[in-house]
Amino acid sequence: MESGHIIKQVLPGSIGEELELEPGDRVLEVNGERIEDVFDYRYLINDTYIEMTVLKKNGEVLLFEIDKYMDEDLGIEFESSLMDEYHSCTNKCIFCFIDQLPKGMRPTMYFKDDDSRLSFLQGNYITLTNMKDKDLDRIIRYKLSPINISVHTTNPELRCMMLHNRFAGKIMDQIQKLYEAETIMNGQIVLCKGVNDGKELEKTIQDLGGFLPFMESLSVVPVGISRHREGLYPLEPFDREDAKAVLKTIHTLQDQFMEEYGTHFVHASDEWYILAGEPLPEEDNYDGYVQLENGVGMLRLQEREFHEALEEARFSESSKLFEKHCTIATGKLAGPFLKELVKDLNAVYPNIHVDVVEVTNDFFGPQITVSGLLTGQDIVAQLKNRTLGSELLLPVNVLRSGEDVLLDDMHINEIEKTLQVPVRIVQSNGNDLFDALVSQGIEINGIEGE
């Protein structure tokens, strides 16, 4: 196999175009070094003078001497965004959700990634178990940050058990190395009942807090348990009293970190508050929403954005005249929260009728309550006999990333055709939700809204 990285596209007006590079050419070396992946490439081209060796499609090898600005890109894109294959997970975690998927889904659904590069590029959380010392050294050398780490526990023996990986117990040494290099980190704990909760949770939080300020934040999320766990480690769902105990531990430690470091550091995901029946923390408690992707503060932020948009519209003369009927489909978790927002909306827009339907997750099981794991078949089955109004609003997280299909491969168009209603995808921010609710409706595939 030929070495190097194949150019997929050369951007107009770029240095690459000036060099007459073409799709199909291969970049072999930069400054005499072979390129392992996109991080090597970005690091090596970040200079005012570089030398790049290219294998042209006709077999000619050329050495280009390039003068450029320090941060100027060459304007070439490669066939793989990573310039390498994705690194798969080497663990067999007792809580892995992919192991809980039913058979017969799209093959890509079963791929487990644990790729450090995706931590920096996409914010993915990684376990560090498939990283060697040279990989950590490269992160430090290239000054890459932040790195998002799935810790789960700092107890070496327990972590080896939970991840089913004999190398998992090195986590504290790895974090120490990143800490000494002043690499910014964020941590995550997937909490499993009777495994890493209780005293183990308290110790893990305190241990990781010792890496402040470079370990900037830590989230605690409950394990997701589907109904497809045959042959897997026996896990139990958390109940209300369990959730209250988890929150008590977190709140106690938050107070300690706030007093000593001026940050709350550790955060409970929104599910804990819903399950415990306790109110969400005030906005200041989220330290700037540093763990939004883990569902920490998402509901509070959406509420604030929604109310800001509502306040701006409060004195609109048209608000009392505007009429609309629509439906929001969501998971059990966010349902009560959205119903409260609708009540607030109706105080200003009394003629907008919104049905909030909490869809039970029959596909994965009723223990799964987040909207991001809803399937098209559950949405259709539970909405097909309802009067939905002019639009059906679905949260964007029901879609597979970058696609118009849900987890079970049902396309939005199929939902529209079956339910005979236009579907509007609503982004996760409160502004978009407000705009969707007060808009006049949309027209999709010949189905017209009000």
Side-chain angles (χ1 to χ4, degrees), residues 279-396:
L280 294 170
E282 295 303 316
E283 192 167 34
D284 289 347
N285 287 61
Y286 290 107
D287 297 335
Y289 296 108
V290 290
Q291 288 268 0
L292 267 182
E293 293 304 313
N294 275 324
V296 175
M298 191 171 289
L299 294 180
R300 175 62 77 198
L301 179 59
Q302 187 179 49
E303 177 189 55
R304 190 252 290 169
E305 293 169 339
F306 185 88
H307 283 147
E308 286 177 351
L310 183 61
E311 189 62 31
E312 289 184 13
R314 183 175 296 277
F315 302 106
S316 170
E317 291 297 324
S318 62
S319 64
K320 294 182 175 60
L321 304 175
F322 180 57
E323 294 186 7
K324 180 179 179 178
H325 174 210
C326 65
T327 298
I328 301 175
T330 187
K332 294 281 187 180
L333 177 70
F337 173 80
L338 289 173
K339 289 175 182 177
E340 289 299 315
L341 293 187
V342 168
K343 286 182 182 178
D344 296 338
L345 177 79
N346 288 150
V348 179
Y349 290 86
N351 296 322
I352 296 182
H353 179 68
V354 183
D355 292 320
V356 178
V357 179
E358 299 174 17
V359 178
T360 300
N361 200 320
D362 293 326
F363 187 87
F364 289 115
Q367 298 290 348
I368 302 299
T369 60
V370 295
S371 58
L373 291 173
L374 289 177
T375 58
Q377 57 194 267
D378 282 343
I379 292 171
V380 167
Q382 295 175 44
L383 268 61
K384 63 183 179 182
N385 295 321
R386 300 180 66 102
T387 300
L388 302 176
S390 63
E391 289 181 317
L392 171 61
L393 275 56
L394 296 178
V396 67

Side-chain angles (χ1 to χ4, degrees), residues 151-384:
V151 181
H152 311 310
T153 177
T154 54
N155 179 330
E157 293 78 16
L158 180 59
R159 193 168 194 261
C160 288
M161 184 280 287
M162 291 185 69
L163 275 58
H164 200 68
N165 188 321
R166 63 191 178 94
F167 300 109
K170 302 187 299 181
I171 186 65
M172 291 295 282
D173 292 337
Q174 293 172 310
I175 293 177
Q176 179 68 36
K177 187 170 186 175
L178 293 169
Y179 170 81
E180 290 173 357
E182 301 185 359
T183 302
I184 302 301
M185 298 170 277
N186 294 294
Q188 177 198 61
I189 297 171
V190 174
L191 205 63
C192 301
K193 185 174 180 176
V195 180
N196 60 335
D197 56 349
K199 293 297 183 183
E200 290 288 350
L201 172 62
E202 185 175 348
K203 180 180 184 303
T204 297
I205 296 172
Q206 290 175 331
D207 286 347
L208 295 177
F211 294 108
L212 277 161
F214 302 115
M215 177 71 75
E216 285 192 326
S217 69
L218 176 66
S219 63
V220 181
V221 302
V223 61
I225 302 177
S226 89
R227 62 186 181 90
H228 305 281
R229 287 196 58 85
E230 298 82 3
L232 299 178
Y233 187 93
L235 290 175
E236 298 178 24
F238 290 96
D239 60 24
R240 174 164 293 207
E241 292 308 309
D242 297 327
K244 287 181 176 293
V246 169
L247 290 177
K248 183 178 179 181
T249 296
I250 290 174
H251 292 160
T252 299
L253 291 172
Q254 280 183 331
D255 291 342
Q256 294 178 16
F257 288 124
M258 194 67 191
E259 182 177 351
E260 187 170 355
Y261 297 101
T263 177
H264 296 89
F265 178 62
V266 60
H267 302 276
S269 64
D270 295 348
E271 295 106 305
W272 294 112
Y273 293 96
I274 303 298
L275 182 57
E278 295 188 10
L280 294 170
E282 295 303 316
E283 192 167 34
D284 289 347
N285 287 61
Y286 290 107
D287 297 335
Y289 296 108
V290 290
Q291 288 268 0
L292 267 182
E293 293 304 313
N294 275 324
V296 175
M298 191 171 289
L299 294 180
R300 175 62 77 198
L301 179 59
Q302 187 179 49
E303 177 189 55
R304 190 252 290 169
E305 293 169 339
F306 185 88
H307 283 147
E308 286 177 351
L310 183 61
E311 189 62 31
E312 289 184 13
R314 183 175 296 277
F315 302 106
S316 170
E317 291 297 324
S318 62
S319 64
K320 294 182 175 60
L321 304 175
F322 180 57
E323 294 186 7
K324 180 179 179 178
H325 174 210
C326 65
T327 298
I328 301 175
T330 187
K332 294 281 187 180
L333 177 70
F337 173 80
L338 289 173
K339 289 175 182 177
E340 289 299 315
L341 293 187
V342 168
K343 286 182 182 178
D344 296 338
L345 177 79
N346 288 150
V348 179
Y349 290 86
N351 296 322
I352 296 182
H353 179 68
V354 183
D355 292 320
V356 178
V357 179
E358 299 174 17
V359 178
T360 300
N361 200 320
D362 293 326
F363 187 87
F364 289 115
Q367 298 290 348
I368 302 299
T369 60
V370 295
S371 58
L373 291 173
L374 289 177
T375 58
Q377 57 194 267
D378 282 343
I379 292 171
V380 167
Q382 295 175 44
L383 268 61
K384 63 183 179 182

Side-chain angles (χ1 to χ4, degrees), residues 364-431:
F364 289 115
Q367 298 290 348
I368 302 299
T369 60
V370 295
S371 58
L373 291 173
L374 289 177
T375 58
Q377 57 194 267
D378 282 343
I379 292 171
V380 167
Q382 295 175 44
L383 268 61
K384 63 183 179 182
N385 295 321
R386 300 180 66 102
T387 300
L388 302 176
S390 63
E391 289 181 317
L392 171 61
L393 275 56
L394 296 178
V396 67
N397 60 2
V398 303
L399 300 180
R400 287 177 54 79
S401 179
E403 302 181 58
D404 288 333
V405 297
L406 286 80
L407 286 176
D408 58 349
D409 284 343
M410 184 176 288
H411 197 281
I412 292 174
N413 292 345
E414 189 176 349
I415 296 176
E416 291 176 336
K417 183 178 180 181
T418 304
L419 296 179
Q420 285 296 292
V421 65
V423 170
R424 182 191 293 268
I425 299 300
V426 181
Q427 301 301 314
S428 58
N429 63 77
N431 293 313

Side-chain angles (χ1 to χ4, degrees), residues 141-154:
R141 176 191 178 198
Y142 294 171
K143 301 186 185 302
L144 298 172
S145 66
I147 182 169
N148 298 326
I149 306 171
S150 291
V151 181
H152 311 310
T153 177
T154 54

